[in-house]
Amino acid sequence: MTNFKKFAAMALAGAMTVGMMAGCGGGATAEAPTGSAAGSGTSASSEGSKGTITVITMALNSDFWHEVQAGAILAGEELGYEIKVLGPNDETNTQEQINEVLDAQNYSDAICICATDPDSMQSTIADAHAADIPIITFANPLTDESAYDAYTGTNDAAAGRGLGDYIAETQGKDVKLAIIRGVAGAITHDQRANGIAEGVEAGGGEVVDEQPADSDRAKAVTVAENLIQANPDINAIAATSDEMALGAYEAIKSSGLTDRIKVYGFDASLGGLESIIAGELTADAAQQPIQMGYDSVVLATKVLNGETVEKENEVPYDMIDQSNAEEFYNNSIQSLRDAGFDY
């Protein structure tokens, strides 16, 4: 059994799967595996490879993207392809990612990419695709389906709704929720926030406010402080990424309100999982970034081999709370280590 398949089997055994979703997150960083490319363009493996697949993430500065990278490395090892992983310094650096796509066309047999800004990136990706380079998009879909061969990712709207339902079911009709979301206008965060609101309101709860914090922990601290001050009756905050959820928890802890306000995250990054295990964050809608990276490379190899692939390929999400956070965390750490990360 492959390393990834072992991970998937263990993760699915311990998780409460309730739908589909996509996106990005953060947490503490660790050293990238030797030769794995954390932004440098070096390869995961090269001797005797069948070709080169470049994986371009939105950034390489967090656990979430390390897990995507790990999944890609594991797939490359299994299928015999050299894997190069690139990413900007942060998730808002679209120009750097455009330059990475332009450069990757010179040496890549296929490109897998999670676009920082799908609208701004679409023409660059389409040009690469028009140059007969197979393109697999993941986590952040493009609107022009002719610009890529296949997409893999989670369904943000469904995952957001699953988290909203969970909040309503566990907190009841008295829940008064504030939402902290990613960059205004980002479709993944729109879908997550809307899904959360729908689930809470369907359960009889109320969404009292929604503010952006750009997936930044420090900004989320300030936004949460302002939300608490403006809405003294809120008893729940849901964030559309774990970095923002962890920032919100810092603000709530500093305000001495941890007994009254519950915090929910999105991504199940290692930092988010550690916080749930410690009894801080209450629950998390978990993406499976390792599977996302793995599936992206698998799809790329199928296109390279002339196989027919589905245009849309969903990755399941899980609801994580204290009942299954530790098992999910341990499985993620093991897969990262299998891929060569120093965790």
Coordinates of all heavy atoms in Angstrom, one line a residue, residues 80-137:
G80 N 6.7 7.8 -10.7 CA 7.9 7.9 -11.4 C 8.2 9.2 -12.1 O 8.9 9.3 -13.0
Y81 N 7.6 10.3 -11.5 CA 7.8 11.6 -12.1 C 8.6 12.5 -11.2 O 8.4 12.5 -10.0 CB 6.4 12.3 -12.4 CG 5.8 11.8 -13.7 CD1 5.1 10.6 -13.7 CD2 5.9 12.4 -14.9 CE1 4.5 10.1 -14.8 CE2 5.3 11.9 -16.0 CZ 4.6 10.8 -16.0 OH 4.0 10.3 -17.1
E82 N 9.4 13.4 -11.8 CA 10.1 14.4 -11.0 C 9.1 15.5 -10.7 O 8.3 16.0 -11.5 CB 11.2 15.0 -11.9 CG 11.9 16.2 -11.2 CD 13.0 16.8 -12.1 OE1 13.2 16.3 -13.3 OE2 13.6 17.8 -11.7
I83 N 9.0 15.9 -9.4 CA 8.1 16.9 -8.9 C 8.9 18.2 -8.5 O 9.8 18.1 -7.7 CB 7.3 16.4 -7.7 CG1 6.6 15.1 -8.1 CG2 6.3 17.5 -7.2 CD1 5.5 15.2 -9.2
K84 N 8.5 19.3 -9.1 CA 9.0 20.6 -8.7 C 7.9 21.4 -8.0 O 6.8 21.4 -8.6 CB 9.6 21.4 -9.9 CG 10.8 20.7 -10.5 CD 11.3 21.6 -11.7 CE 12.6 21.0 -12.3 NZ 13.8 21.2 -11.5
V85 N 8.1 21.9 -6.9 CA 7.1 22.7 -6.2 C 7.5 24.1 -6.0 O 8.6 24.4 -5.5 CB 6.8 22.1 -4.8 CG1 5.6 22.8 -4.1 CG2 6.4 20.6 -4.9
L86 N 6.7 25.1 -6.5 CA 6.9 26.5 -6.4 C 5.8 27.2 -5.7 O 4.7 26.7 -5.7 CB 7.1 27.1 -7.8 CG 8.2 26.4 -8.7 CD1 8.1 27.0 -10.1 CD2 9.6 26.6 -8.1
G87 N 6.0 28.4 -5.2 CA 4.9 29.2 -4.6 C 5.5 30.5 -4.2 O 6.6 30.7 -3.9
P88 N 4.6 31.6 -4.3 CA 5.0 32.9 -3.9 C 5.3 33.0 -2.4 O 5.1 32.0 -1.6 CB 3.7 33.8 -4.2 CG 2.9 32.9 -5.1 CD 3.2 31.5 -4.8
N89 N 5.7 34.2 -1.9 CA 6.0 34.4 -0.5 C 4.7 34.4 0.3 O 4.7 34.1 1.5 CB 6.7 35.7 -0.3 CG 8.1 35.6 -0.9 OD1 8.8 34.6 -0.9 ND2 8.6 36.7 -1.4
D90 N 3.6 34.8 -0.3 CA 2.3 34.8 0.5 C 1.2 34.7 -0.5 O 1.4 34.7 -1.8 CB 2.1 36.1 1.3 CG 2.1 37.4 0.5 OD1 1.2 37.5 -0.4 OD2 3.0 38.2 0.7
E91 N 0.0 34.5 0.0 CA -1.1 34.1 -0.9 C -1.7 35.3 -1.7 O -2.7 35.1 -2.4 CB -2.3 33.5 0.0 CG -1.8 32.2 0.6 CD -3.0 31.5 1.4 OE1 -4.1 32.0 1.3 OE2 -2.7 30.6 2.1
T92 N -1.2 36.5 -1.6 CA -1.7 37.6 -2.3 C -0.7 38.0 -3.4 O -1.0 39.0 -4.2 CB -1.9 38.8 -1.4 OG1 -0.7 39.2 -0.8 CG2 -2.9 38.5 -0.3
N93 N 0.4 37.4 -3.6 CA 1.4 37.8 -4.6 C 1.2 37.1 -5.9 O 1.8 36.2 -6.3 CB 2.8 37.4 -4.1 CG 3.9 38.1 -4.8 OD1 3.7 38.6 -5.9 ND2 5.1 38.3 -4.1
T94 N 0.2 37.7 -6.6 CA -0.2 37.1 -7.9 C 0.9 37.3 -9.0 O 1.1 36.4 -9.8 CB -1.5 37.8 -8.4 OG1 -2.5 37.6 -7.4 CG2 -1.9 37.3 -9.7
Q95 N 1.6 38.4 -9.0 CA 2.6 38.6 -10.0 C 3.7 37.6 -9.9 O 4.2 37.1 -10.9 CB 3.2 40.0 -9.9 CG 4.2 40.4 -11.1 CD 3.5 40.2 -12.4 OE1 2.5 40.8 -12.7 NE2 4.2 39.4 -13.3
E96 N 4.1 37.3 -8.7 CA 5.2 36.2 -8.5 C 4.7 34.9 -9.1 O 5.5 34.2 -9.7 CB 5.6 36.1 -7.0 CG 6.7 35.2 -6.8 CD 7.1 35.1 -5.4 OE1 6.7 35.9 -4.5 OE2 7.9 34.2 -5.0
Q97 N 3.4 34.6 -8.8 CA 2.9 33.3 -9.3 C 2.8 33.3 -10.9 O 3.1 32.3 -11.5 CB 1.5 33.0 -8.7 CG 1.2 31.5 -8.8 CD -0.2 31.2 -8.2 OE1 -1.2 31.9 -8.6 NE2 -0.3 30.2 -7.4
I98 N 2.4 34.4 -11.5 CA 2.4 34.5 -12.9 C 3.8 34.3 -13.5 O 4.0 33.5 -14.4 CB 1.9 35.9 -13.3 CG1 0.4 36.1 -13.1 CG2 2.2 36.2 -14.8 CD1 -0.1 37.5 -13.3
N99 N 4.8 34.8 -12.8 CA 6.2 34.6 -13.3 C 6.6 33.1 -13.2 O 7.3 32.6 -14.0 CB 7.2 35.5 -12.5 CG 7.0 37.0 -12.8 OD1 6.4 37.4 -13.8 ND2 7.4 37.8 -11.8
E100 N 6.1 32.5 -12.1 CA 6.4 31.1 -11.9 C 5.8 30.2 -13.0 O 6.4 29.3 -13.5 CB 6.0 30.6 -10.6 CG 6.8 31.2 -9.4 CD 6.2 31.0 -8.0 OE1 5.0 30.6 -7.9 OE2 7.0 31.2 -7.0
V101 N 4.6 30.6 -13.4 CA 4.0 29.8 -14.5 C 4.7 30.0 -15.8 O 5.0 29.1 -16.6 CB 2.5 30.3 -14.7 CG1 1.9 29.6 -16.0 CG2 1.7 29.9 -13.5
L102 N 5.1 31.3 -16.1 CA 5.9 31.6 -17.3 C 7.2 30.8 -17.4 O 7.6 30.2 -18.4 CB 6.1 33.1 -17.4 CG 4.9 33.9 -17.6 CD1 5.2 35.4 -17.5 CD2 4.2 33.6 -19.0
D103 N 7.9 30.7 -16.2 CA 9.1 30.0 -16.1 C 8.9 28.5 -16.2 O 9.7 27.8 -16.9 CB 9.8 30.4 -14.8 CG 11.2 29.7 -14.7 OD1 12.0 29.9 -15.6 OD2 11.4 29.0 -13.7
A104 N 7.9 28.0 -15.6 CA 7.6 26.6 -15.6 C 7.4 26.0 -16.9 O 7.6 24.8 -17.2 CB 6.5 26.2 -14.6
Q105 N 6.8 26.8 -17.8 CA 6.6 26.3 -19.2 C 7.8 25.9 -19.9 O 7.8 25.1 -20.9 CB 5.9 27.5 -20.0 CG 4.5 27.8 -19.6 CD 3.9 28.9 -20.4 OE1 3.8 28.8 -21.6 NE2 3.6 30.1 -19.7
N106 N 9.0 26.4 -19.5 CA 10.2 26.1 -20.2 C 10.8 24.7 -19.9 O 11.6 24.2 -20.6 CB 11.3 27.1 -19.8 CG 10.9 28.5 -20.2 OD1 10.4 28.7 -21.3 ND2 11.2 29.5 -19.4
Y107 N 10.3 24.1 -18.8 CA 10.9 22.8 -18.4 C 9.8 21.7 -18.0 O 10.2 20.6 -17.7 CB 11.9 22.9 -17.3 CG 11.3 23.6 -16.0 CD1 10.6 22.9 -15.1 CD2 11.6 24.9 -15.8 CE1 10.1 23.4 -14.0 CE2 11.1 25.5 -14.6 CZ 10.3 24.8 -13.7 OH 9.8 25.4 -12.6
S108 N 8.5 22.1 -17.9 CA 7.5 21.2 -17.3 C 6.8 20.4 -18.4 O 6.4 20.9 -19.5 CB 6.5 22.0 -16.5 OG 7.1 22.8 -15.5
D109 N 6.6 19.2 -18.1 CA 5.7 18.3 -19.0 C 4.2 18.6 -18.6 O 3.3 18.4 -19.5 CB 6.0 16.9 -18.8 CG 7.4 16.5 -19.3 OD1 7.6 16.5 -20.5 OD2 8.3 16.3 -18.5
A110 N 4.0 19.0 -17.4 CA 2.6 19.3 -16.9 C 2.7 20.3 -15.8 O 3.8 20.3 -15.1 CB 1.8 18.1 -16.5
I111 N 1.7 21.1 -15.6 CA 1.7 22.1 -14.5 C 0.4 21.9 -13.7 O -0.7 21.8 -14.2 CB 1.7 23.5 -15.0 CG1 3.1 23.8 -15.6 CG2 1.5 24.5 -13.8 CD1 3.1 25.2 -16.3
C112 N 0.5 21.8 -12.3 CA -0.6 21.8 -11.4 C -0.6 23.1 -10.7 O 0.5 23.4 -10.1 CB -0.5 20.6 -10.4 SG -0.4 19.0 -11.2
I113 N -1.7 23.8 -10.6 CA -1.6 25.1 -10.0 C -2.9 25.5 -9.2 O -4.0 25.1 -9.6 CB -1.4 26.2 -11.1 CG1 -1.3 27.6 -10.4 CG2 -2.5 26.1 -12.2 CD1 -0.8 28.7 -11.4
C114 N -2.7 26.1 -8.0 CA -3.8 26.7 -7.3 C -3.5 28.2 -7.4 O -2.6 28.8 -6.9 CB -3.7 26.3 -5.8 SG -4.9 27.2 -4.8
A115 N -4.4 28.9 -8.2 CA -4.2 30.3 -8.6 C -4.5 31.2 -7.4 O -5.5 31.0 -6.7 CB -5.1 30.7 -9.7
T116 N -3.6 32.1 -7.1 CA -3.8 33.1 -6.1 C -5.0 34.0 -6.4 O -5.8 34.2 -5.5 CB -2.6 34.0 -5.9 OG1 -2.3 34.7 -7.1 CG2 -1.4 33.3 -5.4
D117 N -5.2 34.4 -7.6 CA -6.3 35.2 -8.1 C -6.7 34.6 -9.4 O -6.1 34.9 -10.5 CB -5.9 36.6 -8.2 CG -7.0 37.5 -8.6 OD1 -8.0 37.0 -9.2 OD2 -6.9 38.8 -8.5
P118 N -7.7 33.7 -9.4 CA -8.1 33.1 -10.7 C -8.4 34.0 -11.8 O -8.0 33.8 -13.0 CB -9.4 32.3 -10.3 CG -9.2 32.0 -8.8 CD -8.5 33.3 -8.3
D119 N -9.0 35.2 -11.6 CA -9.3 36.1 -12.7 C -8.1 36.7 -13.3 O -7.9 36.8 -14.5 CB -10.2 37.2 -12.2 CG -11.6 36.8 -11.8 OD1 -12.1 35.7 -12.4 OD2 -12.3 37.4 -11.0
S120 N -7.1 37.1 -12.4 CA -5.9 37.7 -12.9 C -5.0 36.6 -13.5 O -4.2 36.9 -14.5 CB -5.1 38.3 -11.8 OG -5.9 39.4 -11.2
M121 N -5.0 35.4 -13.1 CA -4.1 34.3 -13.5 C -4.7 33.6 -14.8 O -3.9 32.9 -15.5 CB -4.0 33.3 -12.4 CG -3.2 33.7 -11.2 SD -1.5 34.0 -11.5 CE -1.0 32.4 -12.1
Q122 N -5.9 33.8 -15.1 CA -6.6 32.9 -16.1 C -5.9 33.0 -17.4 O -5.6 31.9 -18.1 CB -8.0 33.2 -16.2 CG -8.9 32.2 -16.9 CD -10.3 32.2 -16.5 OE1 -10.7 31.4 -15.7 NE2 -11.0 33.2 -17.0
S123 N -5.5 34.2 -17.9 CA -5.0 34.3 -19.2 C -3.6 33.6 -19.3 O -3.2 33.0 -20.3 CB -4.9 35.8 -19.7 OG -4.1 36.5 -18.8
T124 N -2.8 33.8 -18.2 CA -1.5 33.2 -18.2 C -1.6 31.7 -18.2 O -0.8 31.0 -18.9 CB -0.7 33.6 -16.9 OG1 -0.6 35.1 -16.9 CG2 0.7 33.0 -16.9
I125 N -2.5 31.1 -17.4 CA -2.7 29.7 -17.4 C -3.2 29.2 -18.7 O -2.8 28.1 -19.3 CB -3.6 29.3 -16.3 CG1 -3.0 29.6 -14.9 CG2 -4.0 27.8 -16.3 CD1 -3.9 29.5 -13.7
A126 N -4.1 29.9 -19.3 CA -4.7 29.6 -20.6 C -3.6 29.5 -21.7 O -3.6 28.7 -22.6 CB -5.8 30.5 -21.0
D127 N -2.7 30.5 -21.7 CA -1.6 30.5 -22.6 C -0.7 29.3 -22.5 O -0.3 28.7 -23.5 CB -0.7 31.8 -22.5 CG -1.5 33.0 -22.9 OD1 -2.5 32.9 -23.6 OD2 -1.0 34.1 -22.5
A128 N -0.4 28.9 -21.3 CA 0.4 27.7 -21.1 C -0.4 26.4 -21.6 O 0.2 25.6 -22.2 CB 0.7 27.5 -19.6
H129 N -1.7 26.4 -21.3 CA -2.5 25.3 -21.8 C -2.5 25.3 -23.4 O -2.4 24.2 -24.0 CB -3.9 25.4 -21.3 CG -4.7 24.2 -21.4 ND1 -6.0 24.2 -22.0 CD2 -4.5 22.9 -21.1 CE1 -6.4 23.0 -22.0 NE2 -5.6 22.1 -21.5
A130 N -2.6 26.4 -24.0 CA -2.6 26.5 -25.4 C -1.2 26.1 -26.0 O -1.2 25.7 -27.2 CB -2.9 28.0 -25.9
A131 N -0.2 26.1 -25.2 CA 1.1 25.6 -25.7 C 1.3 24.1 -25.5 O 2.4 23.6 -25.5 CB 2.2 26.4 -24.9
D132 N 0.1 23.4 -25.3 CA 0.1 22.0 -25.2 C 0.7 21.4 -23.9 O 1.3 20.3 -23.9 CB 0.7 21.3 -26.4 CG 0.0 21.5 -27.7 OD1 -1.3 21.6 -27.6 OD2 0.6 21.6 -28.7
I133 N 0.7 22.2 -22.9 CA 1.1 21.8 -21.5 C -0.1 21.4 -20.7 O -1.0 22.3 -20.5 CB 1.9 22.9 -20.8 CG1 3.2 23.2 -21.6 CG2 2.2 22.4 -19.4 CD1 4.0 24.4 -20.9
P134 N -0.3 20.2 -20.3 CA -1.4 19.8 -19.5 C -1.5 20.6 -18.2 O -0.5 20.9 -17.6 CB -1.2 18.3 -19.2 CG -0.3 17.8 -20.3 CD 0.6 19.0 -20.6
I135 N -2.7 21.2 -17.9 CA -2.9 22.0 -16.8 C -3.9 21.4 -15.8 O -5.0 21.1 -16.3 CB -3.3 23.4 -17.2 CG1 -2.3 24.1 -18.1 CG2 -3.6 24.3 -15.9 CD1 -1.0 24.5 -17.4
I136 N -3.5 21.2 -14.6 CA -4.5 20.7 -13.6 C -4.6 21.8 -12.5 O -3.6 22.3 -12.0 CB -3.9 19.4 -12.9 CG1 -3.6 18.3 -13.9 CG2 -5.0 19.0 -11.8 CD1 -4.8 17.9 -14.8
T137 N -5.8 22.3 -12.3 CA -6.0 23.3 -11.3 C -6.5 22.6 -10.0 O -7.2 21.6 -10.1 CB -7.0 24.4 -11.7 OG1 -8.2 23.8 -12.1 CG2 -6.4 25.1 -13.0

